[in-house]
Structure formats: structure tokens, C-alpha cells
Amino acid sequence: MKKLAQYKFYTLTVVGGGLTGQLMVSLILKSNLIDADKLCWINLNAKKSKDSRVSFLNINNFFRLKYNFKYQFDINDYLNIKKIQIHNKNEKAPLSLEEDSHGVIVKNNTLKKNFKISKKNLNIFTSRVIKTKHDQYNRYLSLEDGTNIKTSLVICADGNSSTLRDLTKIKYASHNLNHTIISGYLYSKNFDNAVAKQVFLDDSYIGLLPISKNNNLVNFVWSLDSKVLKNKKSNFNFHDEIVKKLNSFFIKYNIYFEHRNTNKTDFDKLQIYSSNVKFVNKPFSERIVLIGDAAHTIHPLAGQGFNLSIEDCFDLLKCINKATYYGKDLGDNFILEEYSKLRRKRKNFITLITTLIFYLFKKRSKNLNKVINLFSENLNKKASKKFLTILARGY
Ligand SMILES: Cc1cc2nc3c(=O)[nH]c(=O)nc-3n(C[C@H](O)[C@H](O)[C@H](O)COP(=O)(O)OP(=O)(O)OC[C@H]3O[C@@H](n4cnc5c(N)ncnc54)[C@H](O)[C@@H]3O)c2cc1C
């Protein structure tokens, strides 16, 4: 006789142990929305979790984390960015956006440490979700290790290749940008640590973020046309190639880069990703809601992916809070619809703008490049650079 599956019940279940999943669990617990024993976290990264990247957090999100939610950021945990410079091929000068603060740069591991979660009474499972179904009252999750979970609402932060998005048939558009993203560190003695730079070259876009006041390390996020890699194949040395590109571009500004072995795996190892855009119009289905990269995947050129995810967490928390106050079922479609509406404008804006910037620089001809440089020179003269500043700062 077939054995009936035994389900453990939790009011809320968060899937995903990346930055978004961890922040969501931490915010739910911090806000005392539900008791820890009614919350379940499916976190495959619970044991091993090392992310050597850094993130640019826009100033609005950083302030809300620090002052509204009282996350403790030590002064040495972050670098304040006062200037963002956008560089282009054949420029006379970079486009410079100056503010008291555009935002901060924080190591991803520091963020994880700060989004601290008290494990007391919290139910954590470390096995992958492989199946799901729902009825009128619950969503059911089956994990690879045989655990079965029943829950009122699944908050799903399982990333760019979200399994649950596919299992629940949430529709999305996916587009391969045919760039490879390489993240790593270089040494530069004369790089100003209050400045973040984005450089647009012919086959590459390079984001440069200083990481600390105490060393001269600069994090690079290098988006490279995948055709270049296909042609060079084996003996392609990423560090040598990027140093060559950057030094020939920045010689006129007396900024030099070199690759030094620091003997710390965090800084010596490269992280390599494919690059695609995923657009989810309606990030929910019956008793499941998407947040983070599962709900929107964008090109990292403006450093906005996790910023969007932080805002997802804030807005979803608002909706859950309201539902709890009125004693509503947390999986009610009405609540998920409200979350989707709150996120729509900003998600669409950032996805559209980052993809447009990507293609503007990818498709450029000699004449288009001249126009881009003329446009940014004039933008430099005028005080109004509002549009780009809004993109960097958040709302
Ligand atoms: C090089 C680079 C630099 C970036 N820089 C910035 C920046 O400066 N600022 C910024 O705002 N954003 C930046 N981003 C974007 C940002 O890093 C991402 O948006 C963010 O990390 C997404 O986190 P996430 O938790 O949503 O997804 P992920 O980190 O992908 O986490 C997904 C989680 O789900 C788990 N999972 C997957 N499938 C299952 C399953 N079936 N069952 C259970 N669990 C599952 C995984 O194990 C993982 O823990 C950058 C991105 C890149 C690539």
C-alpha cells in the first residue's frame, strides 16, 4: 500500500540562502511578524557560504537598512561613494556625478554577517525543493531528502535559474546578452576610494569599485563579449588582459592597475557568470511569490540587482504586515497582487534602463560614439544629471 506523505506545517516558508533569502528571513524575524517556530527557511548554503564579491548599495536602501531596521554597520564595514564616473572610448573627460553620498560599497560576506539570524526555534532545511503543488489553503513543497512541507505562503528567492518559478509555471521572458561576467580584484595605489567607475570599451564594460580605506584593492566587474573568449579559448589570462585594457585606458589619468597575489582566496579567485536578462511580469502564483533574482535578473553594469531585491523585501514585508494586522490569510492572491503592483514601476524601469545602456554601448558605431561623448560633455556642463543620479541613488 502506498504510504501517505507526512507534511510539517509552517505559516511562512522562505526558499533560498542567497543575500535576498537571508535578508527576507532576517526582516521577518526582526519585525516580529510571526513566531520563529512558524517560519521555515530552505537554505542550501547553510553550511558553506563564501561570496567574495562586493555590492554597491544605493543610499536610500542603505539608510533604510541602517536606520529603519537598525542593522549595525560598523564604520569600517563600508565605503561611502561620493562620485560616480562614467568613462567612454575617446572621451575628453568622464561624465561625473557628484553627491554627498550616492551609496556605499559593502562586502557581500559582511552583508550576510549583518543580516544576522537567530537560529533559535527557526526551522532550517538544507535540501533542494524538487516538487510543489497547492490546494485552496496551502502550498506543498517536497525536498530532495524526502522532507515534505505545507505552508500558507512560499517566499521564493531561489535566484536567476529559479526551480520554483518553473515548477509553478510563472511566465517570464529570458534574453541572453552573450557577455561573460568576470568578478575579481586588482591593486591600484592611486584609485580614489570615494569614487566608483563604469568604463565602456569596445568589447567590454568594466565596473570598478574600491573596497576599503586600508588597502588599495579595487573590485572589478568585467562584462566581456563572449565572442572574445570563444576566439581566444585556452591561454586567456583574465588578470593580464584586464590590466592591459585598464592601463591603456587610464594612462591619461595617471591611474595604474596591477594584479598581485594576496594569498587570500577571497581576493585571488575570480568568479565567472553568464549574463542574461529575465523579466517576470507577474511575480506570483497560487501561494507563492518571487523576490530577488528569481523575480528580475538584470545586467550588473549599474549595480542595481541586489538593490531591487532589498526593495522587494521591504515591499513584501509591508504587504505581509498589513495582512497580519487585518488577520488575513498570508497566501491570499489579493496580497500578492498588491506586492506585484508595488514593485512593477521600479523593476520595469531598472530592467529597461540597464538593458538599453547595455545595447547602446554594444551596438555603437564611430558616429554614435561621438554622439554619446558629446551628450555626456553637455550633461557635464549642465547641473541637471538627475536621471542618472536617480538610477544610482534609488528612488
Ligand atoms: C559580478 C556581479 C556583481 C554584482 N554587483 C552588484 C552590486 O554592486 N549591487 C547590486 O545591487 N547588485 C549587484 N549584483 C547583483 C546581485 O549580486 C544579485 O542580484 C543578488 O546576489 C541576488 O541574490 P539572490 O539571493 O536573489 O539570488 P542567489 O544569490 O542566486 O541565491 C539563490 C539561492 O537559492 C538557492 N536555490 C536555488 N535553487 C533552489 C532549490 N530548488 N531549492 C532550494 N534552494 C534553491 C541557491 O542555493 C541560493 O542560495 C551583482 C551581480 C554580479 C553577478
Side-chain angles (χ1 to χ4, degrees), residues 6 11 25 56-57 71 101 119 124 150 157 184 191 196 241 256 262 293 302-304 312 317 354 387:
Q6 295 283 314
T11 309
V25 171
F56 168 78
L57 301 191
Y71 284 104
S101 178
K119 305 259 159 68
I124 302 180
K150 181 163 103 173
F191 195 97
E241 294 289 333
Y256 300 95
T262 61
D293 275 15
Q304 292 300 319
D312 292 346
L317 199 70
T354 48
F387 172 73

Side-chain angles (χ1 to χ4, degrees), residues 17-20 45 53 55-56 128-129 157-158 163 293 303 305-307:
L19 282 175
T20 313
N45 309 27
R53 285 175 297 169
S55 289
F56 168 78
R128 185 172 291 279
V129 179
D158 61 352
T163 310
D293 275 15
F306 184 53
N307 279 295

Side-chain angles (χ1 to χ4, degrees), residues 15-22 42-45 51 53-57 108 112 127-130 143 157-164 181-183 209 219-221 271 273 291-294 296 298 300 302-310:
V15 179
L19 282 175
T20 313
Q22 176 157 350
I42 300 172
N43 175 7
L44 310 181
N45 309 27
D51 182 349
R53 285 175 297 169
V54 295
S55 289
F56 168 78
L57 301 191
N108 285 10
K112 283 213 156 188
S127 178
R128 185 172 291 279
V129 179
I130 51 166
L143 311 192
D158 61 352
N160 176 6
S161 318
S162 173
T163 310
L164 269 159
I181 314 287
I182 307 115
S183 173
L209 304 175
N219 173 245
F220 65 83
V221 177
Q271 291 186 286
Y273 308 84
I291 59 173
D293 275 15
H296 40 71
I298 58 172
Q304 292 300 319
F306 184 53
N307 279 295
L308 277 181
S309 312
I310 295 175

Side-chain angles (χ1 to χ4, degrees), residues 106-123:
V106 195
K107 292 192 185 106
N108 285 10
N109 276 329
T110 304
L111 285 172
K112 283 213 156 188
K113 212 171 66 207
N114 287 10
F115 303 152
K116 231 187 291 159
I117 287 172
S118 154
K119 305 259 159 68
K120 216 173 130 208
N121 299 329
L122 179 67
N123 305 281

